[in-house]
Amino acid sequence: MQGQGQPESFVTISGVTKKFGDFTALDALSFSVREGGTLALLGPSGCGKTTMLRCLAGLETPESGFISIAGKVVFDSAKGINLNPEERGLGVVFQSYAVWPHMSVVENVEFPLRVRGISKEERRARAMEILEIVGLGQYAQRSATQLSGGQQQRVALARALVHKPALVLFDEALSNLDAALREHMRLELKALQDKLGFTALYVTHDQGEALGLAETIILMNAGRIDTSGLARDVFMNHRTSFAALFFGLNVIEADKLPGMTGTKFIGFQREHAHLSSVTDSAAQNGDLIVPGRIATRSFQGLVDEYAIDLAEGVSIRVLDGQGQFSPGDQVHVRIKAGNLFRLND
Amino acid sequence: MQAGTQSKEKSGWAWQKSLPLLGVSMGILLIIGPFMAGLVRSLLLWVADDPQVSLANYAWLFTDRRIQTAAINSLICGTGAMSISLVLGTSLAWIVSRTNVPGREIFKTLNLIPFFFSPYVGAIGWIFLVAPYSGLMQTTTATLFGGPVEGPNIYSLAGVIWILSLFYTPYVYLFVISPLQRMDAAFEDAARVHGAGFWTTVRLITLPLLQPGLLSAALIVFVTSAGLFDVPLALTATKGIRTMPTEVFALVRYPSDLGRAAAFGIFITAVTVALTLWQRAHLAKRRYEIVSGKGYKPRVIELRRSGKIIALTIEIIFLLTSVVLPVLALILVALSPLWTGKFNPANATLANFNYVLFEYSLTRQAIMNSLFLAVTGATIGVMISGLQSYYLVRVRSVFKSFVDALLALPLGIPGIVLSLFFLIFAIRTPLYGTLAILLIAYIARFFPFATRTITAMLSAIHPELEESARANGASWGQTMRMILLPLLRPALIAAWIMLFIIFIRELGASILLYASGTETISIAMLLLSENSVGYVAALALIQLVLLLIGFSLFRLTRAPVVQ
Ligand SMILES: Nc1ncnc2c1ncn2[C@@H]1O[C@H](COP(=O)(O)OP(=O)(O)OP(=O)(O)O)[C@@H](O)[C@H]1O
Ligand SMILES: [Mg+2]
């Protein structure tokens, strides 16, 4: 991942370490993004996602490391380079939106052009153009305080895009929106990116948001990269227990299960466990079969979610659509060999 | 039994309704009463012992050159002090809230000290420092460089502006430090990442977001410094340069023309009321939230070495010029048996303190009077203000916003104008020449400070706390005594100390109302200022000690100084 030399690397982050006092928020983080690509920094609260984004934007100064954006070195601790935020030419959508309350919508949006000394007519025209794209054309003259949360976010988005930055950063871009609006904005963001062709870096703690928006995902854990790769791969193929737990899999110590050797933990999706009251005849070699007792059952729409106590005193959660078990029933849990993840830490 | 509960309920209800109304009506009376007296007097003209209704006083007002000069001088003082303290106060607030200047936590408190000191004492201290020929600065430079370095003339409008700026800088500081500390950092960050440099961000984002606080501070500083009596009296009155408040004083004294003085007072009141109402309307339109729950706290800016030196220099110069140097001058003067512009440690003596504290009946009486006025006035003031706050926060009424605006009016009216109206009101009554009339004038001029402090805290106390006591069978009186008053106690104490401090140093509201035997500390300083500077300095220091005690107690309550 030492991407300094890779030709297709558009954004390069290498060995970035950031400390707050004794606390290490980013621990020698390295990754890169290709031009026009989308990357999501995913991870639980406090793992350092926002800190990484702020280091990229120049709002925090790392202790050490190297950052280049579009071929321009913006930070290099070895050479003492540290460009100011305004010299990095980015667009940023902040988690709190940071839409300025003392300006109208269009004044907010034309701000990046205004400070670049672009004439009044031209910046008005360009701001209106981008406001039309995000669907706020008729709100241009409103005071920013009279907007709903979703509208404010579109203003923040328009402001981050109006000066055609090469790289746009999004901090929890969709998390403050309700479910329907979030889905709508997600599609809109994708369309905008296709149209305008910027490189995007999303920061989020929401896996659905990361999967829906980004082609590559970096899963962070306590200031380090836990897993990275293509979105689908990171989501489907789990290699660490942290990743498995983060994506909601059942994770069990291997030595508590029969026949599981050569690994520390076993993980499997809640959907992939098959329940039956008698020994499953479809069982094949390598499948995991354990007896257990139904502890609770809760209705989850099309399926039921069961909490099942396995014999060894381990509890798992299983989604099953058959609906024939009640608390207290003895069951056999079977997971196909192909659905078992051997997790090595 | 049934009847008993009912009547108890009823009387409880009566108290609940009538007590807050009592506080509000007393406040309104304290404002309207003297104002009406002034208005009536300004419309009367005595023609051969016969009073006639006439606009002659106003006609004179708008044609007299002296009035125009005084108005222009006040405008200069107000604008000058406002501009300097806006720049200085905002810079200081920014330095201690946004940078890593060494000692920022200590400076946060130290910057407030001038707010509690007396500008009049500050002016006297500065006279000792830089008065031509005899100022400490002149005598010291004369010794050091073989000839005195004359500084700018302190006996001038520039001198007045200088002193006012030093003492009103903390007002601005107080108004902007809290928004500066709580503002969502993302507002400024968003400007930076989208291409604005540091100063562009300050100009286009930070300052506009601070605008409501800056505007409130600007108006208060302008109105208070244009209407402050003490400093122009100490510095320019004897040089024939008058501002509006000293002109009012002159109109009452040499020669006495209460009609013209009243017309002038009504005019000043009208202007300040208009300004205050305009500001209220303006602020109501731009009440937006600059604090968002999700944002980060503003970043502390890591100053480079040069930046640290500049920030520290601004801090230290401010504290030196507003507190340390004038107090030092007062101490040296107070310790000298005869002040000649030079301090001789060999002759240092406490005789001046001994004299003003124990021997001289005028100063002894003055100290007693000031203490009595401050303690009694603060107590009565807090009682009235507490009831008003209850009305403003808890009582449902359609007149509330009107009452709120009305009760805030004295904040802008110069003390000398209000006391002029009280003088007109009381001059032919037995009240004239008593401590009581001083007490009433003090309370009338300053109760809004207490009302604001208490109202702010009361608004933060959830009414359910009282309602649950009522639901559990406590009467209204019991609820007040056992629930609300204990909860409100910090605000009540803070308000009390605030009034105590203001009353201890007050001069403008006393100058027209004192008589022989009812002098206050500030009046005694004024009376002695011509001939015995040692007593003046000693008295000033005694007053400062009282103020400092008040300030320390106030910090202990942890109450915010401005709401
Ligand atoms: N200015 C700061 N001073 C001290 N600690 C900080 C500062 N900023 C962040 N941290 C700490 O660094 C860690 C990472 O913070 P960061 O904001 O990057 O987390 P995050 O991954 O964005 O979390 P979330 O999903 O909650 O936004 C946290 O433990 C946080 O407390
Ligand atoms: Mg974050």
Side-chain angles (χ1 to χ4, degrees):
Chain A
M1 294 234 80
Q2 289 298 71
Q4 281 179 51
Q6 287 174 20
E8 81 271 36
S9 168
F10 185 69
V11 180
T12 305
I13 284 108
S14 167
V16 168
T17 298
K18 172 72 197 167
K19 295 191 166 133
F20 294 110
D22 291 340
F23 175 76
T24 305
L26 298 177
D27 193 356
L29 210 64
S30 302
F31 60 87
S32 59
V33 193
R34 71 165 181 91
E35 181 158 16
T38 50
L39 177 114
L41 287 177
L42 179 64
S45 188
C47 70
K49 309 177 295 282
T50 299
T51 307
M52 184 60 242
L53 179 137
R54 291 173 65 82
C55 287
L56 256 172
L59 297 170
E60 301 280 1
T61 307
E63 268 66 46
S64 59
F66 170 93
I67 302 174
S68 77
I69 298 169
K72 187 162 74 170
V73 177
V74 298
F75 178 79
D76 187 347
S77 58
K79 294 211 184 96
I81 299 173
N82 185 15
L83 294 194
N84 283 324
E86 66 270 20
E87 296 165 324
R88 300 188 179 198
L90 307 178
V92 181
V93 177
F94 286 84
Q95 189 166 3
S96 58
Y97 310 144
V99 173
W100 298 302
H102 61 293
M103 295 182 186
S104 71
V105 166
V106 66
E107 282 168 346
N108 262 278
V109 173
E110 67 183 6
F111 183 89
L113 304 174
R114 182 176 166 195
V115 295
R116 283 170 172 77
I118 287 169
S119 77
K120 200 168 170 87
E121 295 78 45
E122 187 187 343
R123 68 188 197 225
R124 249 318 122 101
R126 282 173 63 180
M128 285 312 296
E129 188 185 337
I130 193 90
L131 275 171
E132 292 296 340
I133 294 178
V134 299
L136 283 180
Q138 73 270 41
Y139 294 99
Q141 301 305 332
R142 284 250 191 123
S143 151
T145 47
Q146 299 167 341
L147 299 181
S148 72
Q151 290 167 336
Q152 286 196 27
Q153 183 179 41
R154 287 154 189 255
V155 176
L157 182 64
R159 184 178 65 189
L161 298 176
V162 71
H163 53 300
K164 304 206 162 70
L167 172 66
V168 185
L169 311 176
F170 298 85
D171 193 357
E172 309 281 359
L174 307 179
S175 357
N176 288 334
L177 306 178
D178 63 48
L181 194 55
R182 187 182 321 173
E183 184 55 22
H184 179 73
M185 278 305 287
R186 190 177 68 72
L187 295 174
E188 219 165 88
L189 265 178
K190 284 217 115 161
L192 268 176
Q193 207 203 349
D194 287 344
K195 188 162 169 182
L196 304 175
F198 52 86
T199 306
L201 189 127
Y202 297 97
V203 152
T204 176
H205 63 268
D206 181 287
Q207 46 169 303
E209 198 175 312
L211 290 165
L213 287 169
E215 59 187 19
T216 46
I217 286 184
I218 287 181
L219 179 62
M220 286 180 64
N221 177 16
R224 294 173 200 225
I225 295 180
D226 184 87
T227 315
S228 64
L230 291 177
R232 201 177 161 73
D233 187 49
V234 170
F235 183 66
M236 302 295 286
N237 297 320
H238 306 284
R239 288 178 285 274
T240 65
S241 57
F242 174 80
L245 283 169
F246 183 82
F247 287 107
L249 273 65
N250 288 300
V251 175
I252 305 172
E253 285 178 53
D255 55 18
K256 299 210 163 154
L257 297 170
M260 293 292 148
T261 52
T263 185
K264 226 170 146 192
F265 293 100
I266 293 292
F268 57 90
Q269 301 271 17
R270 289 179 292 177
E271 296 87 342
H272 288 161
H274 181 78
L275 303 181
S276 59
S277 43
V278 293
T279 313
D280 208 324
S281 55
Q284 286 176 8
N285 204 10
D287 286 3
L288 174 65
I289 301 172
V290 270
R293 197 178 64 87
I294 306 280
T296 61
R297 169 182 173 184
S298 55
F299 182 57
Q300 297 267 310
L302 291 175
V303 293
D304 289 305
E305 185 181 65
Y306 295 101
I308 301 172
D309 293 330
L310 301 185
E312 289 80 4
V314 189
S315 179
I316 60 170
R317 296 192 165 262
V318 170
L319 293 176
D320 189 291
Q322 310 299 328
Q324 68 247 50
F325 305 103
S326 352
D329 289 357
Q330 294 292 334
V331 290
H332 289 274
V333 184
R334 179 172 65 88
I335 301 106
K336 280 198 192 137
N339 287 335
L340 288 173
F341 295 104
R342 291 162 184 272
L343 311 168
N344 286 315
D345 66 321
Chain B
M1 183 72 208
Q2 183 91 28
T5 6
Q6 214 168 44
S7 79
K8 189 179 151 206
E9 270 300 300
K10 247 206 169 130
S11 76
W13 184 85
W15 283 119
Q16 180 176 359
K17 279 270 165 188
S18 57
L19 269 180
L21 274 180
L22 180 72
V24 170
S25 0
M26 285 176 79
I28 293 178
L29 264 183
L30 283 173
I31 298 164
I32 300 287
F35 179 78
M36 290 312 288
L39 186 63
V40 169
R41 186 64 188 80
S42 73
L43 293 170
L44 292 182
L45 200 66
W46 264 261
V47 183
D49 282 350
D50 234 3
Q52 292 181 358
V53 176
S54 143
L55 285 175
N57 289 323
Y58 289 96
W60 168 83
L61 188 66
F62 291 107
T63 50
D64 190 81
R65 289 288 302 276
R66 266 167 55 197
I67 297 292
Q68 282 168 19
T69 313
I72 290 171
N73 286 342
S74 270
L75 206 63
I76 293 174
C77 289
T79 317
M82 178 181 79
S83 317
I84 297 179
S85 44
L86 277 178
V87 174
L88 196 54
T90 312
S91 312
L92 290 174
W94 190 82
I95 287 172
V96 296
S97 65
R98 289 294 187 82
T99 74
N100 63 342
V101 70
R104 59 197 287 242
E105 289 305 320
I106 302 167
F107 283 129
K108 266 185 197 170
T109 301
L110 292 181
N111 286 341
L112 289 175
I113 292 182
F115 183 78
F116 292 87
F117 270 22
S118 151
Y120 183 53
V121 169
I124 293 175
W126 269 90
I127 290 175
F128 294 148
L129 274 176
V130 297
Y133 309 117
S134 62
L136 266 167
M137 199 183 94
Q138 278 75 1
T139 55
T140 317
T141 48
T143 324
L144 288 179
F145 307 118
V149 178
E150 289 296 338
N153 181 12
I154 188 82
Y155 295 117
S156 64
L157 284 183
V160 175
I161 292 176
W162 169 241
I163 301 292
L164 290 171
S165 305
L166 287 180
F167 285 90
Y168 289 128
T169 288
Y171 279 70
V172 180
Y173 172 84
L174 280 166
F175 270 99
V176 297
I177 191 165
S178 144
L180 263 179
Q181 278 176 328
R182 296 178 311 137
M183 184 188 293
D184 183 354
F187 286 134
E188 287 162 286
D189 290 347
R192 293 301 298 275
V193 297
H194 291 122
F198 174 80
W199 289 107
T200 311
T201 306
V202 167
R203 188 164 55 84
L204 295 180
I205 308 296
T206 319
L207 288 179
L209 287 176
L210 291 178
Q211 199 225 45
L214 284 173
L215 188 69
S216 305
L219 187 72
I220 280 210
V221 172
F222 177 79
V223 168
T224 334
S225 32
L228 192 74
F229 171 71
D230 336 359
V231 177
L233 181 79
L235 295 180
T236 61
T238 52
K239 311 288 159 193
I241 309 171
R242 288 187 190 146
T243 62
M244 293 208 289
T246 42
E247 191 62 57
V248 170
F249 184 61
L251 281 174
V252 175
R253 286 290 164 86
Y254 347 89
S256 175
D257 190 333
L258 285 183
R260 288 180 172 182
F264 195 23
I266 294 291
F267 169 72
I268 295 173
T269 308
V271 172
T272 47
V273 167
L275 274 177
T276 320
L277 293 180
W278 168 79
Q279 181 228 19
R280 269 180 104 82
H282 183 76
L283 281 189
K285 275 186 290 180
R286 3 180 83 238
R287 192 151 288 157
Y288 41 69
E289 204 41 70
I290 58 165
V291 187
S292 86
K294 308 215 169 54
Y296 277 68
K297 282 218 158 158
R299 240 172 355 139
V300 168
I301 292 169
E302 306 276 332
L303 290 178
R304 266 172 258 145
R305 213 179 126 79
S306 55
K308 273 188 191 161
I309 290 172
I310 294 172
L312 268 180
T313 310
I314 296 176
E315 265 296 346
I316 288 171
I317 287 183
F318 172 67
L319 292 172
L320 275 180
T321 52
S322 63
V323 182
V324 180
L325 289 177
V327 171
L328 196 69
L330 288 171
I331 293 176
L332 297 186
V333 175
L335 291 179
S336 301
L338 186 70
W339 182 245
T340 56
K342 273 186 191 159
F343 179 66
N344 185 351
N347 292 342
T349 163
L350 290 175
N352 285 325
F353 289 96
N354 189 42
Y355 190 69
V356 297
L357 274 174
F358 305 111
E359 288 172 9
Y360 190 22
S361 64
L362 168 70
T363 52
R364 232 177 46 204
Q365 184 68 46
I367 295 171
M368 294 311 293
N369 286 343
S370 275
L371 279 174
F372 168 80
L373 286 170
V375 171
T376 322
T379 309
I380 300 176
V382 165
M383 280 168 17
I384 297 177
S385 296
L387 294 173
Q388 290 173 357
S389 301
Y390 189 86
Y391 174 85
L392 291 175
V393 181
R394 288 288 193 265
V395 173
R396 238 168 268 175
S397 159
V398 284
F399 304 113
K400 216 143 92 177
S401 67
F402 173 73
V403 170
D404 188 29
L406 187 63
L407 290 180
L409 286 183
L411 284 175
I413 301 176
I416 191 160
V417 170
L418 204 66
S419 66
L420 164 69
F421 295 162
F422 272 107
L423 174 72
I424 291 167
F425 179 77
I427 195 156
R428 281 170 220 286
T429 70
L431 269 179
Y432 182 66
T434 63
L435 277 176
I437 188 71
L438 282 169
L439 191 68
I440 297 173
Y442 280 15
I443 295 173
R445 169 71 179 85
F446 294 106
F447 74 79
F449 284 98
T451 308
R452 295 208 154 184
T453 305
I454 301 171
T455 302
M457 176 146 192
L458 187 57
S459 322
I461 297 176
H462 204 284
E464 278 179 5
L465 293 173
E466 294 144 63
E467 284 158 10
S468 73
R470 297 302 300 276
N472 284 311
S475 71
W476 182 75
Q478 286 170 320
T479 309
M480 292 299 109
R481 215 171 51 245
M482 299 191 301
I483 309 292
L484 194 60
L485 284 181
L487 285 171
L488 259 187
R489 197 161 63 196
L492 297 174
I493 294 174
W496 193 94
I497 296 171
M498 182 78 117
L499 290 183
F500 176 89
I501 288 171
I502 293 173
F503 294 167
I504 282 286
R505 67 187 186 198
E506 178 50 40
L507 179 63
S510 330
I511 187 73
L512 295 179
L513 297 173
Y514 82 92
S516 173
T518 65
E519 295 91 349
T520 63
I521 298 181
S522 295
I523 296 282
M525 286 197 293
L526 177 62
L527 294 176
L528 295 174
S529 63
E530 286 304 312
N531 32 36
S532 8
V533 291
Y535 303 157
V536 174
L539 215 46
L541 286 170
I542 292 166
Q543 189 186 59
L544 283 190
V545 168
L546 290 172
L547 295 176
L548 206 60
I549 293 174
F551 173 69
S552 317
L553 291 175
F554 191 88
R555 291 310 287 176
L556 286 181
T557 66
R558 296 178 175 281
V561 187
V562 170
Q563 271 74 36

